[in-house]
């Protein structure tokens, strides 16, 4: 709890205006939220990494330093809000690239000190889940969320906005990495996930079969899939060096369908085990058109209420940090200025 005198007195859900900052990877984002309604969500994507085939941490930190002031100004402007009307400053504390997190953390701490307003530290993965609480209709507690991003793959049980538990996760690569690494093998540029999605739309997902991992419980594994794709392609290219070019749509559709099967099988298992029927998707990979369709179909078949955040709230964004901070504010969960960014912190 803060050692100073900046804690709000009687906390109630009215007129709470929060400025939130997200800088965990390669997007600099700021958002303003009032009483749980997002007033602005401004995101500056970093293009500097494209030519390197992945995010370069040092370049990402430097880009955050350049972006943070204009991004925060833009978010305030769009929300029609002055710094003086902010009640709390929130930021992504963990996990992420440490240099990137530090930029957001230091900025938020300085602002909190200068404005004499409370500081709220938010866990990025909790925020991906709570992005489902931004728009209506909202899931009812308890709900399950399959979070699929470039760095994480988790099944989360949410008993309330502040009581979340990871009940399944990847033991190696994340689903987004499985997409991006498969794309790399196919010679597609980074990030390859959206390109696999695009090619898959005109392909036959039954054309090729890739091995699915046999992992017990609710955990996932994707590293074997990458190897299976690599060996399969090496064999085919030996016989026909144009194999990838001639079959790109079918290869992408088959890879995508394998990843979706792995994800949804475990999600169905989690729903059966817990008896929960409000089920959400979150994270950048939930932009995948095949996954969205299969998730909705599975939901209809099993009579689930399914939820997917709007696209801008699926990939990294500060609105999800703001909504999470809103609930932390209501719970009186504030941090003092000694709080520091953490690349790997667990959250339950
Ligand atoms: O959540 P996110 O924006 O950032 C992280 O926190 O990691 O997720 C980025 C990941 C990347 O791996 C990207 O390839 C993947 O989401 N992605 C997709 C699609 N759009 C983004 N993967 C498959 N299909 C898509 N349409
Ligand atoms: Zn993320």
């Amino acid at each position: 709890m803060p050692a100073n005198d900046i804690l709000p007195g009687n906390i109630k859900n009215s007129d709470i205006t929060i400025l939130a900052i997200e800088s965990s990877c390669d997007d600099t984002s700021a958002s303003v939220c009032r009483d749980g309604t997002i007033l602005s969500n401004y995101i500056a994507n970093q293009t500097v990494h494209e030519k390197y085939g992945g995010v370069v941490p040092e370049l990402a930190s430097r880009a955050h330093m350049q972006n943070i002031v204009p991004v925060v100004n833009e978010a305030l402007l769009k929300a029609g809000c002055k710094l003086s009307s902010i009640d709390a400053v929130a930021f992504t504390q963990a996990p992420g690239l440490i240099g990137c997190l530090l930029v957001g953390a230091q900025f938020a701490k300085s602002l909190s000190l200068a404005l004499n307003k409370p500081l709220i530290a938010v866990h990025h993965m909790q925020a991906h889940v709570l992005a489902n609480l931004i728009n209506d209709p909202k899931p009812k507690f308890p709900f399950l969320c399959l979070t699929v991003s470039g760095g994480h793959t988790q099944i989360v049980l949410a008993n309330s906005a502040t009581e979340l538990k990871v009940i399944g996760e990847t033991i190696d690569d994340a689903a987004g990495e499985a997409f991006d690494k498969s794309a790399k093998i196919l010679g597609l540029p980074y990030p390859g996930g959206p390109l696999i999605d695009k090619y898959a739309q005109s392909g036959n997902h039954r054309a090729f079969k890739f091995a699915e991992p046999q992992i017990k419980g609710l955990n996932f594994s994707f590293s074997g899939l990458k190897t299976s794709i690599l060996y399969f392609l090496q064999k085919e290219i030996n016989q026909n060096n144009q194999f990838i070019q001639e079959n790109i749509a079918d290869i992408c559709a088959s890879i995508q369908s394998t990843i979706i099967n792995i994800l949804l099988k475990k999600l169905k298992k989690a729903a059966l085990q817990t008896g929960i029927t409000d089920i959400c998707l979150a994270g950048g990979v939930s932009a995948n058109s095949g996954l969205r369709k299969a998730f909705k179909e599975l939901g209809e078949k099993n009579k689930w209420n399914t939820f997917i955040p709007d696209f801008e709230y699926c990939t990294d964004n500060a609105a999800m940090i703001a909504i999470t901070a809103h609930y932390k504010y209501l719970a009186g969960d504030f941090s003092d200025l000694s709080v520091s960014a953490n690349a790997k912190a667990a959250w339950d």
Side-chain angles (χ1 to χ4, degrees), residues 282-337:
V285 181
S286 54
N288 183 271
S289 57
L291 177 61
R292 294 172 88 93
K293 187 163 170 274
F295 171 69
K296 292 270 177 205
E297 284 170 2
L298 187 66
E300 275 163 31
K301 217 164 128 195
N302 290 280
K303 302 205 168 26
W304 297 344
N305 303 311
T306 52
F307 304 85
I308 311 177
D310 287 352
F311 181 72
E312 68 170 310
Y313 305 135
C314 283
T315 48
D316 288 349
N317 67 90
M320 69 184 193
I321 307 301
I323 194 83
T324 307
H326 174 77
Y327 288 98
K328 291 189 96 166
Y329 190 108
L330 292 177
D333 186 359
F334 302 100
S335 294
D336 64 30
L337 293 172

Side-chain angles (χ1 to χ4, degrees), residues 22 24-27 124-125 128 147-152 174-180 190-198 201 256 282-291 311 314-317 320:
E22 152 66 31
S24 63
C25 190
D26 60 341
D27 296 306
H124 183 86
M125 298 313 294
H128 267 304
T147 313
V148 274
S149 73
H152 294 83
E177 267 178 295
F179 272 106
D180 296 339
Y190 176 88
L195 287 170
I196 292 200
D197 189 358
K198 193 173 137 225
Q201 286 170 26
Q256 180 169 298
V285 181
S286 54
N288 183 271
S289 57
L291 177 61
F311 181 72
C314 283
T315 48
D316 288 349
N317 67 90
M320 69 184 193

Side-chain angles (χ1 to χ4, degrees), residues 18-100:
I18 294 172
L19 170 67
I21 293 159
E22 152 66 31
S23 68
S24 63
C25 190
D26 60 341
D27 296 306
T28 320
S29 179
S31 167
V32 177
C33 158
R34 182 165 299 140
D35 294 336
T37 300
I38 299 300
L39 302 183
S40 65
N41 180 40
Y42 191 77
I43 306 172
N45 302 114
Q46 301 179 1
T47 49
V48 61
H49 311 284
E50 274 164 16
K51 59 177 179 281
Y52 299 100
V55 177
V56 183
E58 178 60 28
L59 296 180
S61 316
R62 286 189 210 179
H64 284 306
M65 297 276 283
Q66 283 169 348
N67 291 343
I68 195 136
V69 172
V71 164
V72 167
N73 276 337
E74 199 60 36
L76 289 166
L77 202 69
K78 281 200 170 164
C81 182
K82 292 199 175 105
L83 261 186
S84 53
S85 49
I86 294 298
D87 296 307
V89 185
F91 68 100
T92 306
Q93 184 199 4
L97 298 170
I98 192 64
C100 298

